[in-house]
PDB file of all heavy atoms in Angstrom:
ATOM      1  N   LEU A  57      -4.829  35.521   6.933  1.00  0.00           N
ATOM      2  CA  LEU A  57      -4.737  36.453   5.803  1.00  0.00           C
ATOM      3  C   LEU A  57      -3.355  37.108   5.791  1.00  0.00           C
ATOM      4  O   LEU A  57      -3.177  38.200   5.272  1.00  0.00           O
ATOM      5  CB  LEU A  57      -5.845  37.506   5.903  1.00  0.00           C
ATOM      6  CG  LEU A  57      -7.266  36.946   6.041  1.00  0.00           C
ATOM      7  CD1 LEU A  57      -8.291  38.058   6.128  1.00  0.00           C
ATOM      8  CD2 LEU A  57      -7.610  36.026   4.869  1.00  0.00           C
ATOM      9  N   ALA A  58      -2.367  36.430   6.380  1.00  0.00           N
ATOM     10  CA  ALA A  58      -1.025  37.005   6.518  1.00  0.00           C
ATOM     11  C   ALA A  58      -0.075  36.535   5.424  1.00  0.00           C
ATOM     12  O   ALA A  58       1.122  36.791   5.509  1.00  0.00           O
ATOM     13  CB  ALA A  58      -0.454  36.679   7.891  1.00  0.00           C
ATOM     14  N   ALA A  59      -0.592  35.846   4.396  1.00  0.00           N
ATOM     15  CA  ALA A  59       0.296  35.308   3.363  1.00  0.00           C
ATOM     16  C   ALA A  59       1.256  36.358   2.788  1.00  0.00           C
ATOM     17  O   ALA A  59       2.442  36.067   2.624  1.00  0.00           O
ATOM     18  CB  ALA A  59      -0.518  34.655   2.244  1.00  0.00           C
ATOM     19  N   PRO A  60       0.788  37.605   2.497  1.00  0.00           N
ATOM     20  CA  PRO A  60       1.739  38.587   1.949  1.00  0.00           C
ATOM     21  C   PRO A  60       2.923  38.829   2.872  1.00  0.00           C
ATOM     22  O   PRO A  60       4.038  39.066   2.406  1.00  0.00           O
ATOM     23  CB  PRO A  60       0.894  39.854   1.802  1.00  0.00           C
ATOM     24  CG  PRO A  60      -0.501  39.384   1.720  1.00  0.00           C
ATOM     25  CD  PRO A  60      -0.576  38.162   2.569  1.00  0.00           C
ATOM     26  N   ALA A  61       2.697  38.757   4.190  1.00  0.00           N
ATOM     27  CA  ALA A  61       3.785  38.991   5.141  1.00  0.00           C
ATOM     28  C   ALA A  61       4.861  37.920   4.990  1.00  0.00           C
ATOM     29  O   ALA A  61       6.055  38.219   4.891  1.00  0.00           O
ATOM     30  CB  ALA A  61       3.241  39.012   6.570  1.00  0.00           C
ATOM     31  N   PHE A  62       4.448  36.655   4.930  1.00  0.00           N
ATOM     32  CA  PHE A  62       5.443  35.577   4.862  1.00  0.00           C
ATOM     33  C   PHE A  62       6.089  35.490   3.476  1.00  0.00           C
ATOM     34  O   PHE A  62       7.270  35.184   3.347  1.00  0.00           O
ATOM     35  CB  PHE A  62       4.799  34.247   5.262  1.00  0.00           C
ATOM     36  CG  PHE A  62       4.406  34.235   6.699  1.00  0.00           C
ATOM     37  CD1 PHE A  62       3.083  34.313   7.083  1.00  0.00           C
ATOM     38  CD2 PHE A  62       5.376  34.184   7.692  1.00  0.00           C
ATOM     39  CE1 PHE A  62       2.721  34.345   8.423  1.00  0.00           C
ATOM     40  CE2 PHE A  62       5.035  34.214   9.032  1.00  0.00           C
ATOM     41  CZ  PHE A  62       3.704  34.293   9.398  1.00  0.00           C
ATOM     42  N   TYR A  63       5.284  35.790   2.465  1.00  0.00           N
ATOM     43  CA  TYR A  63       5.820  35.831   1.094  1.00  0.00           C
ATOM     44  C   TYR A  63       6.896  36.923   1.010  1.00  0.00           C
ATOM     45  O   TYR A  63       7.959  36.729   0.420  1.00  0.00           O
ATOM     46  CB  TYR A  63       4.663  36.126   0.137  1.00  0.00           C
ATOM     47  CG  TYR A  63       4.887  35.749  -1.301  1.00  0.00           C
ATOM     48  CD1 TYR A  63       5.339  34.484  -1.651  1.00  0.00           C
ATOM     49  CD2 TYR A  63       4.611  36.652  -2.323  1.00  0.00           C
ATOM     50  CE1 TYR A  63       5.519  34.141  -2.980  1.00  0.00           C
ATOM     51  CE2 TYR A  63       4.780  36.316  -3.649  1.00  0.00           C
ATOM     52  CZ  TYR A  63       5.232  35.061  -3.973  1.00  0.00           C
ATOM     53  OH  TYR A  63       5.405  34.727  -5.291  1.00  0.00           O
ATOM     54  N   ALA A  64       6.608  38.066   1.653  1.00  0.00           N
ATOM     55  CA  ALA A  64       7.566  39.180   1.658  1.00  0.00           C
ATOM     56  C   ALA A  64       8.823  38.802   2.445  1.00  0.00           C
ATOM     57  O   ALA A  64       9.942  39.129   2.027  1.00  0.00           O
ATOM     58  CB  ALA A  64       6.918  40.428   2.259  1.00  0.00           C
ATOM     59  N   ILE A  65       8.649  38.111   3.563  1.00  0.00           N
ATOM     60  CA  ILE A  65       9.815  37.688   4.353  1.00  0.00           C
ATOM     61  C   ILE A  65      10.731  36.834   3.478  1.00  0.00           C
ATOM     62  O   ILE A  65      11.947  37.028   3.435  1.00  0.00           O
ATOM     63  CB  ILE A  65       9.366  36.916   5.611  1.00  0.00           C
ATOM     64  CG1 ILE A  65       8.784  37.884   6.633  1.00  0.00           C
ATOM     65  CG2 ILE A  65      10.540  36.136   6.223  1.00  0.00           C
ATOM     66  CD1 ILE A  65       8.183  37.217   7.848  1.00  0.00           C
ATOM     67  N   GLY A  66      10.124  35.891   2.737  1.00  0.00           N
ATOM     68  CA  GLY A  66      10.920  35.036   1.863  1.00  0.00           C
ATOM     69  C   GLY A  66      11.603  35.827   0.751  1.00  0.00           C
ATOM     70  O   GLY A  66      12.811  35.715   0.542  1.00  0.00           O
ATOM     71  N   ALA A  67      10.813  36.666   0.064  1.00  0.00           N
ATOM     72  CA  ALA A  67      11.345  37.371  -1.102  1.00  0.00           C
ATOM     73  C   ALA A  67      12.413  38.382  -0.702  1.00  0.00           C
ATOM     74  O   ALA A  67      13.464  38.474  -1.351  1.00  0.00           O
ATOM     75  CB  ALA A  67      10.204  38.067  -1.848  1.00  0.00           C
ATOM     76  N   TYR A  68      12.176  39.123   0.377  1.00  0.00           N
ATOM     77  CA  TYR A  68      13.161  40.137   0.767  1.00  0.00           C
ATOM     78  C   TYR A  68      14.401  39.502   1.398  1.00  0.00           C
ATOM     79  O   TYR A  68      15.515  40.002   1.209  1.00  0.00           O
ATOM     80  CB  TYR A  68      12.538  41.181   1.698  1.00  0.00           C
ATOM     81  CG  TYR A  68      11.785  42.243   0.933  1.00  0.00           C
ATOM     82  CD1 TYR A  68      10.409  42.374   1.060  1.00  0.00           C
ATOM     83  CD2 TYR A  68      12.446  43.100   0.067  1.00  0.00           C
ATOM     84  CE1 TYR A  68       9.715  43.331   0.354  1.00  0.00           C
ATOM     85  CE2 TYR A  68      11.767  44.062  -0.655  1.00  0.00           C
ATOM     86  CZ  TYR A  68      10.398  44.174  -0.515  1.00  0.00           C
ATOM     87  OH  TYR A  68       9.706  45.117  -1.229  1.00  0.00           O
ATOM     88  N   THR A  69      14.226  38.428   2.166  1.00  0.00           N
ATOM     89  CA  THR A  69      15.405  37.753   2.715  1.00  0.00           C
ATOM     90  C   THR A  69      16.304  37.310   1.570  1.00  0.00           C
ATOM     91  O   THR A  69      17.518  37.565   1.569  1.00  0.00           O
ATOM     92  CB  THR A  69      14.988  36.529   3.560  1.00  0.00           C
ATOM     93  OG1 THR A  69      14.093  36.974   4.575  1.00  0.00           O
ATOM     94  CG2 THR A  69      16.199  35.880   4.215  1.00  0.00           C
ATOM     95  N   ALA A  70      15.685  36.678   0.557  1.00  0.00           N
ATOM     96  CA  ALA A  70      16.475  36.235  -0.600  1.00  0.00           C
ATOM     97  C   ALA A  70      17.064  37.433  -1.339  1.00  0.00           C
ATOM     98  O   ALA A  70      18.255  37.440  -1.679  1.00  0.00           O
ATOM     99  CB  ALA A  70      15.599  35.407  -1.538  1.00  0.00           C
ATOM    100  N   GLY A  71      16.234  38.454  -1.571  1.00  0.00           N
ATOM    101  CA  GLY A  71      16.676  39.618  -2.326  1.00  0.00           C
ATOM    102  C   GLY A  71      17.838  40.320  -1.645  1.00  0.00           C
ATOM    103  O   GLY A  71      18.842  40.649  -2.292  1.00  0.00           O
ATOM    104  N   ILE A  72      17.706  40.535  -0.341  1.00  0.00           N
ATOM    105  CA  ILE A  72      18.742  41.282   0.380  1.00  0.00           C
ATOM    106  C   ILE A  72      20.029  40.461   0.499  1.00  0.00           C
ATOM    107  O   ILE A  72      21.132  40.961   0.228  1.00  0.00           O
ATOM    108  CB  ILE A  72      18.203  41.715   1.761  1.00  0.00           C
ATOM    109  CG1 ILE A  72      17.120  42.778   1.559  1.00  0.00           C
ATOM    110  CG2 ILE A  72      19.333  42.258   2.634  1.00  0.00           C
ATOM    111  CD1 ILE A  72      16.240  42.997   2.759  1.00  0.00           C
ATOM    112  N   LEU A  73      19.867  39.183   0.875  1.00  0.00           N
ATOM    113  CA  LEU A  73      21.078  38.353   1.025  1.00  0.00           C
ATOM    114  C   LEU A  73      21.787  38.164  -0.321  1.00  0.00           C
ATOM    115  O   LEU A  73      23.016  38.159  -0.396  1.00  0.00           O
ATOM    116  CB  LEU A  73      20.728  36.989   1.624  1.00  0.00           C
ATOM    117  CG  LEU A  73      20.313  36.994   3.099  1.00  0.00           C
ATOM    118  CD1 LEU A  73      19.977  35.587   3.570  1.00  0.00           C
ATOM    119  CD2 LEU A  73      21.400  37.588   3.980  1.00  0.00           C
ATOM    120  N   ALA A  74      21.008  38.019  -1.396  1.00  0.00           N
ATOM    121  CA  ALA A  74      21.624  37.763  -2.699  1.00  0.00           C
ATOM    122  C   ALA A  74      22.291  39.015  -3.262  1.00  0.00           C
ATOM    123  O   ALA A  74      23.376  38.933  -3.839  1.00  0.00           O
ATOM    124  CB  ALA A  74      20.568  37.254  -3.687  1.00  0.00           C
ATOM    125  N   THR A  75      21.659  40.182  -3.087  1.00  0.00           N
ATOM    126  CA  THR A  75      22.251  41.381  -3.682  1.00  0.00           C
ATOM    127  C   THR A  75      23.402  41.932  -2.843  1.00  0.00           C
ATOM    128  O   THR A  75      24.343  42.490  -3.379  1.00  0.00           O
ATOM    129  CB  THR A  75      21.202  42.506  -3.875  1.00  0.00           C
ATOM    130  OG1 THR A  75      20.528  42.692  -2.636  1.00  0.00           O
ATOM    131  CG2 THR A  75      20.219  42.164  -4.960  1.00  0.00           C
ATOM    132  N   ARG A  76      23.348  41.769  -1.515  1.00  0.00           N
ATOM    133  CA  ARG A  76      24.395  42.380  -0.685  1.00  0.00           C
ATOM    134  C   ARG A  76      25.528  41.424  -0.368  1.00  0.00           C
ATOM    135  O   ARG A  76      26.666  41.831  -0.180  1.00  0.00           O
ATOM    136  CB  ARG A  76      23.805  42.876   0.626  1.00  0.00           C
ATOM    137  CG  ARG A  76      22.786  43.933   0.352  1.00  0.00           C
ATOM    138  CD  ARG A  76      22.439  44.709   1.567  1.00  0.00           C
ATOM    139  NE  ARG A  76      21.380  45.642   1.198  1.00  0.00           N
ATOM    140  CZ  ARG A  76      20.831  46.485   2.027  1.00  0.00           C
ATOM    141  NH1 ARG A  76      21.226  46.528   3.284  1.00  0.00           N
ATOM    142  NH2 ARG A  76      19.884  47.288   1.612  1.00  0.00           N
ATOM    143  N   TYR A  77      25.200  40.132  -0.225  1.00  0.00           N
ATOM    144  CA  TYR A  77      26.240  39.186   0.197  1.00  0.00           C
ATOM    145  C   TYR A  77      26.471  38.098  -0.842  1.00  0.00           C
ATOM    146  O   TYR A  77      27.132  37.110  -0.555  1.00  0.00           O
ATOM    147  CB  TYR A  77      25.869  38.579   1.555  1.00  0.00           C
ATOM    148  CG  TYR A  77      25.560  39.634   2.583  1.00  0.00           C
ATOM    149  CD1 TYR A  77      24.244  39.949   2.916  1.00  0.00           C
ATOM    150  CD2 TYR A  77      26.592  40.344   3.194  1.00  0.00           C
ATOM    151  CE1 TYR A  77      23.961  40.935   3.842  1.00  0.00           C
ATOM    152  CE2 TYR A  77      26.307  41.343   4.124  1.00  0.00           C
ATOM    153  CZ  TYR A  77      24.997  41.629   4.445  1.00  0.00           C
ATOM    154  OH  TYR A  77      24.721  42.617   5.353  1.00  0.00           O
ATOM    155  N   GLU A  78      25.868  38.288  -2.020  1.00  0.00           N
ATOM    156  CA  GLU A  78      26.001  37.305  -3.094  1.00  0.00           C
ATOM    157  C   GLU A  78      25.690  35.891  -2.623  1.00  0.00           C
ATOM    158  O   GLU A  78      26.338  34.934  -3.023  1.00  0.00           O
ATOM    159  CB  GLU A  78      27.401  37.384  -3.710  1.00  0.00           C
ATOM    160  CG  GLU A  78      27.583  38.704  -4.452  1.00  0.00           C
ATOM    161  CD  GLU A  78      28.982  38.861  -5.010  1.00  0.00           C
ATOM    162  OE1 GLU A  78      29.734  37.870  -4.985  1.00  0.00           O
ATOM    163  OE2 GLU A  78      29.303  39.969  -5.469  1.00  0.00           O
ATOM    164  N   ALA A  79      24.678  35.799  -1.745  1.00  0.00           N
ATOM    165  CA  ALA A  79      24.303  34.490  -1.222  1.00  0.00           C
ATOM    166  C   ALA A  79      23.500  33.725  -2.268  1.00  0.00           C
ATOM    167  O   ALA A  79      22.723  34.309  -3.017  1.00  0.00           O
ATOM    168  CB  ALA A  79      23.481  34.661   0.048  1.00  0.00           C
ATOM    169  N   GLY A  80      23.702  32.415  -2.328  1.00  0.00           N
ATOM    170  CA  GLY A  80      22.952  31.570  -3.243  1.00  0.00           C
ATOM    171  C   GLY A  80      21.737  30.969  -2.567  1.00  0.00           C
ATOM    172  O   GLY A  80      21.484  31.210  -1.379  1.00  0.00           O
ATOM    173  N   LEU A  81      21.002  30.162  -3.338  1.00  0.00           N
ATOM    174  CA  LEU A  81      19.771  29.554  -2.847  1.00  0.00           C
ATOM    175  C   LEU A  81      19.991  28.735  -1.575  1.00  0.00           C
ATOM    176  O   LEU A  81      19.141  28.694  -0.693  1.00  0.00           O
ATOM    177  CB  LEU A  81      19.185  28.662  -3.948  1.00  0.00           C
ATOM    178  CG  LEU A  81      17.813  28.054  -3.666  1.00  0.00           C
ATOM    179  CD1 LEU A  81      16.760  29.146  -3.636  1.00  0.00           C
ATOM    180  CD2 LEU A  81      17.465  27.013  -4.710  1.00  0.00           C
ATOM    181  N   LEU A  82      21.163  28.082  -1.466  1.00  0.00           N
ATOM    182  CA  LEU A  82      21.408  27.212  -0.317  1.00  0.00           C
ATOM    183  C   LEU A  82      21.572  28.013   0.978  1.00  0.00           C
ATOM    184  O   LEU A  82      21.500  27.448   2.067  1.00  0.00           O
ATOM    185  CB  LEU A  82      22.645  26.342  -0.557  1.00  0.00           C
ATOM    186  CG  LEU A  82      22.471  25.330  -1.692  1.00  0.00           C
ATOM    187  CD1 LEU A  82      23.720  24.495  -1.884  1.00  0.00           C
ATOM    188  CD2 LEU A  82      21.265  24.426  -1.434  1.00  0.00           C
ATOM    189  N   VAL A  83      21.770  29.323   0.853  1.00  0.00           N
ATOM    190  CA  VAL A  83      21.806  30.185   2.034  1.00  0.00           C
ATOM    191  C   VAL A  83      20.469  30.895   2.207  1.00  0.00           C
ATOM    192  O   VAL A  83      19.894  30.921   3.299  1.00  0.00           O
ATOM    193  CB  VAL A  83      22.941  31.231   1.920  1.00  0.00           C
ATOM    194  CG1 VAL A  83      22.900  32.193   3.102  1.00  0.00           C
ATOM    195  CG2 VAL A  83      24.286  30.538   1.840  1.00  0.00           C
ATOM    196  N   THR A  84      19.954  31.464   1.092  1.00  0.00           N
ATOM    197  CA  THR A  84      18.743  32.280   1.207  1.00  0.00           C
ATOM    198  C   THR A  84      17.534  31.445   1.628  1.00  0.00           C
ATOM    199  O   THR A  84      16.735  31.891   2.443  1.00  0.00           O
ATOM    200  CB  THR A  84      18.423  32.986  -0.128  1.00  0.00           C
ATOM    201  OG1 THR A  84      18.255  32.008  -1.157  1.00  0.00           O
ATOM    202  CG2 THR A  84      19.525  33.948  -0.521  1.00  0.00           C
ATOM    203  N   LEU A  85      17.427  30.231   1.114  1.00  0.00           N
ATOM    204  CA  LEU A  85      16.240  29.420   1.419  1.00  0.00           C
ATOM    205  C   LEU A  85      16.161  29.051   2.905  1.00  0.00           C
ATOM    206  O   LEU A  85      15.143  29.337   3.548  1.00  0.00           O
ATOM    207  CB  LEU A  85      16.217  28.176   0.525  1.00  0.00           C
ATOM    208  CG  LEU A  85      14.964  27.319   0.629  1.00  0.00           C
ATOM    209  CD1 LEU A  85      13.731  28.110   0.192  1.00  0.00           C
ATOM    210  CD2 LEU A  85      15.078  26.062  -0.217  1.00  0.00           C
ATOM    211  N   PRO A  86      17.208  28.455   3.492  1.00  0.00           N
ATOM    212  CA  PRO A  86      17.122  28.138   4.921  1.00  0.00           C
ATOM    213  C   PRO A  86      16.947  29.376   5.793  1.00  0.00           C
ATOM    214  O   PRO A  86      16.174  29.348   6.762  1.00  0.00           O
ATOM    215  CB  PRO A  86      18.457  27.467   5.234  1.00  0.00           C
ATOM    216  CG  PRO A  86      19.060  27.119   3.940  1.00  0.00           C
ATOM    217  CD  PRO A  86      18.478  28.011   2.908  1.00  0.00           C
TER     218      PRO A  86
END
Side-chain angles (χ1 to χ4, degrees):
Chain A
L57 306 180
F62 293 107
Y63 200 50
I65 286 174
Y68 278 115
T69 304
I72 291 163
L73 289 179
T75 51
R76 298 195 184 180
Y77 307 101
E78 292 177 10
L81 186 68
L82 294 180
V83 176
T84 58
L85 186 62

